[in-house]
Amino acid sequence: MKKVFKSIALAATMTLSAGVALNANANTATLDKLLEQVKKDRISEGKINKKREQEFMAARADKQALLKKAKSELAAEQARGERLKNQFAQNEVTLAKKATELENAKGTLGEMFGVVRRAATDTMGSISGSIISAQYPGRDDLLVKLAEAKELPTTKELEELWIALQTEMTESAKVVSFDTEVVGLDGETSVQRVTRVGNFNLMNDTNYLIYNIDTKQVQPLGREADGHYLAAIENFTSSASGEMAPLFIDPSMGNLLRLNTQKATLEDRYHAGGIVGYIITGVLALGLLIALERLITLSLMGSKMRSQLKNTANPSDNNPLGRILKVYHNNKNADVENLELKLDEAILKEIPKVERGVTVIKILAAIAPLLGLLGTVVGMIETFQQITLFGTGDPRIMAGSISMALVTTAQGLIAALPLIFVHSIVAAKSKSIMHILDEQSAGIIASHAEKEQA
Amino acid sequence: MLFLIEIWESVRDFIATGGDVLYIVAAVLLIMWVMMIEKYWFITGVFPGIKKDIIAKWDAREDTTSWYAHKIREFWISEASEKINERMLSIKTLVAICPLVGLLGTVTGMIQVFEIMANQGTGNPRLMAEGISMATIPTMAGMVAALSGVFFSTRLEAKAKLAKEHLVDSLPHH
């Protein structure tokens, strides 16, 4: 390919140089022509230039006029600027003068403005949180306007503030009933007859209510107060007007009632014990049931034995002493050693009936505190698990489960105390019966035999 | 009179700081001491009369050496010793219960401390102090109650044992 291009280029150059040599004579004629042409052209160029020169000269005169005009305009504007500046300065002075005039005219009113604002801000806090707002809603709108206003309050607004303060004062001395919407815990609204005691308490016929500042609604407490507080309400609302009735009042305007709902009840604490707590309850119930059964059986046995003791001649089958006496009656003619062996055998038969259950109560009494300890350990494990998850930053999380852990210890002790006590009673009873059978039955038989022989 | 009121006031303050468990301690202590005083009175006042009767009855017997006589002697001794040892077990149990009741107070007090911590945080040590005093005072009261019981109940036991031995020694086989 390259070779083809080279040969073509070579051929082209050779043809060109041949052409230049051929045309040399013809060129001199055209050069003369060109010279002629240039000379002619110079004359016409000169003409054109002259014409343009003349045009420029004419335009220059125009521009001069324009410049002059612009300059005069600038001078006029500058003069006007000066004039306005003077006027502005003058106005400033007048303004300052007027401001002082206004200040003088306002005088003590300015101080009053500050007082009004402060009073409005103060009152806003107490009024929006006051339960009187449940009866007269929307009272704090005006106060918000007054507290945030930049201009002087009008006389009407001042009067409104006065009235708002006065209303709060007057109403806080009253015990009144009115109908209002109450939002229940399930979210349902109902119109209820509500009694307000000053600005302390709000209640319906049976329960205390609180006024929620954020939602501006009347609500029941999350958890009912204790029964004797509620009983006082019922007495109070059912008493005739003019009659005196005692009533529990929350002097902290609802805060104590709210705190009361946070406090764990006895039932809550019991359930905080968890499964271990229920097992301890089961142990306590089982122990008490066994103890009750034992107490009844042993008392019956004891009383029957006492009546048998008065009547040794006629042994009956319904009590251990009678059964032992019967052995003697059946073996009256046997020798002493034989009789003693038979008596021992009869006593051995009676022992399990008397001692049954006593050790079980003792074991249950010992198990209960151990179970409590188990619950504590389980609770502590839970605590440490929470620490691994959440760290020790919030003592509240830890404290919650620690108090739960301790509840089981308390439950264990509470279960153990009565069980120990009951065991001592049952053990004493069974021991006294055992003594009668073990040590005294032979004596009873001996004295009976002596009486018969005499 | 004023003196008594002052004492009552201080007792009330003590119970207020120690919590309701102190009532249980007080009840246990009261029952324990009533039983112990009754026992003392029985052993020193009533039992010598019973003992005298038994000795007189035994001395009146002609036969004191046969199997029957032995058994009758044992019967009387057992009867008398049962009267002496009546409620002794209950007294010992009550002494043992006292520290347990104190411990119960400790646990309930600690529950209160942790509950306050759970509700209010650890910011205010004054709130927690109430629970801590409820935890420590019942323990102390339980300990003191138990100590007062331990000494006298042991003395009582020794006395009862001695009285029984005296009775046994006073009934010779003649």
Side-chain angles (χ1 to χ4, degrees), chain A residues 34-75:
Chain A
L34 183 65
L35 184 65
E36 271 315 290
Q37 182 77 38
V38 169
K39 276 179 185 165
K40 227 194 270 168
D41 280 357
R42 194 180 63 185
I43 296 160
S44 61
E45 287 273 318
K47 269 184 199 158
I48 290 167
N49 280 347
K50 207 155 245 163
K51 199 181 160 196
R52 278 172 69 192
E53 223 166 80
Q54 274 170 353
E55 271 173 21
F56 277 129
M57 294 300 271
R60 192 172 160 235
D62 272 2
K63 295 288 167 200
Q64 210 80 40
L66 270 177
L67 178 68
K68 214 179 256 173
K69 202 180 150 201
K71 270 190 180 156
S72 71
E73 263 172 29
L74 175 69

Side-chain angles (χ1 to χ4, degrees), chain A residues 130-151:
Chain A
S130 156
I131 56 168
I132 297 167
S133 295
Q135 194 180 355
Y136 304 104
R139 289 186 305 160
D140 48 348
D141 293 346
L142 166 89
L143 295 170
V144 173
K145 219 174 90 191
L146 269 181
E148 288 170 355
K150 290 273 183 291
E151 68 271 14

Side-chain angles (χ1 to χ4, degrees), chain B residues 12-173:
Chain B
R12 234 175 27 187
D13 281 353
F14 186 68
I15 285 174
T17 46
D20 291 341
V21 177
L22 283 181
Y23 285 115
I24 303 177
V25 175
V28 170
L29 193 66
L30 183 76
I31 297 170
M32 188 173 84
W33 270 101
V34 166
M35 279 180 165
M36 286 208 292
I37 289 167
E38 188 262 350
K39 207 83 257 184
Y40 259 105
W41 174 73
F42 180 80
I43 289 172
T44 53
V46 179
F47 186 67
I50 296 171
K51 188 175 151 193
K52 224 166 90 185
D53 284 353
I54 293 173
I55 293 169
K57 248 181 4 183
W58 180 253
D59 285 344
R61 278 180 70 95
E62 286 168 18
D63 168 28
T64 58
T65 48
S66 71
W67 181 82
Y68 289 110
H70 274 267
K71 289 297 160 191
I72 286 172
R73 182 172 173 267
E74 265 171 38
F75 169 37
W76 288 350
I77 291 168
S78 160
E79 241 183 354
S81 89
E82 191 158 311
K83 269 182 194 155
I84 295 174
N85 283 321
E86 216 177 15
R87 286 188 292 280
M88 208 61 124
L89 190 68
S90 295
I91 293 172
K92 269 157 76 180
T93 309
L94 287 174
V95 171
I97 276 179
C98 276
L100 279 181
V101 177
L103 189 62
L104 178 67
T106 309
V107 176
T108 50
M110 287 317 282
I111 289 174
Q112 193 149 349
V113 172
F114 283 113
E115 214 160 70
I116 286 168
M117 268 171 74
N119 284 335
Q120 317 281 331
T122 49
N124 194 344
R126 279 186 201 183
L127 287 174
M128 291 197 284
E130 186 198 1
I132 289 169
S133 78
M134 276 193 183
T136 46
I137 289 178
T139 315
M140 185 195 72
M143 287 289 167
V144 171
L147 280 179
S148 79
V150 164
F151 180 72
F152 289 102
S153 73
T154 317
R155 290 272 305 136
L156 208 56
E157 229 175 318
K159 240 179 157 55
K161 208 174 158 193
L162 209 67
K164 191 193 160 194
E165 296 290 327
H166 270 294
L167 178 66
V168 172
D169 289 346
S170 312
L171 302 177
H173 300 288

Side-chain angles (χ1 to χ4, degrees), chain A residues 370-442:
Chain A
L370 283 179
L371 275 173
L373 190 62
L374 175 70
T376 307
V377 174
V378 170
M380 291 308 285
I381 290 172
E382 220 165 276
T383 310
F384 283 112
Q385 250 165 13
Q386 277 175 357
I387 290 175
T388 42
L389 286 177
F390 302 112
T392 52
D394 190 359
R396 293 174 195 210
I397 294 173
M398 293 196 302
S401 52
I402 288 174
S403 84
M404 255 165 59
L406 286 172
V407 164
T408 56
T409 312
Q411 282 174 340
L413 286 171
I414 289 169
L417 290 175
L419 284 180
I420 291 171
F421 196 68
V422 160
H423 168 257
S424 87
I425 293 171
V426 171
K429 255 194 160 44
S430 81
K431 211 172 170 186
S432 96
I433 288 176
M434 284 303 298
H435 273 214
I436 292 174
L437 293 182
D438 223 10
E439 298 170 6
Q440 297 173 23
S441 57

Side-chain angles (χ1 to χ4, degrees), chain A residues 71-91:
Chain A
K71 270 190 180 156
S72 71
E73 263 172 29
L74 175 69
E77 286 299 319
Q78 262 170 353
R80 186 166 152 261
E82 200 65 29
R83 195 156 39 81
L84 284 176
K85 213 162 88 186
N86 285 341
Q87 200 182 345
F88 180 74
Q90 231 165 23
N91 282 347

Side-chain angles (χ1 to χ4, degrees), chain A residues 20 31 128 152 164 199 285 304 393:
Chain A
V20 170
L31 279 175
S128 65
L152 283 174
N199 57 354
K304 273 178 195 160

Side-chain angles (χ1 to χ4, degrees), chain A residues 49 82 100 132 157 163-164 216 230 240-241 247 256 283-284 385 395 413-414 431 439:
Chain A
N49 280 347
E82 200 65 29
T100 23
I132 297 167
E157 280 170 337
I163 287 168
K216 301 196 190 305
L230 298 182
S241 68
L247 179 73
L256 283 179
V283 165
L284 175 64
Q385 250 165 13
L413 286 171
I414 289 169
K431 211 172 170 186
E439 298 170 6

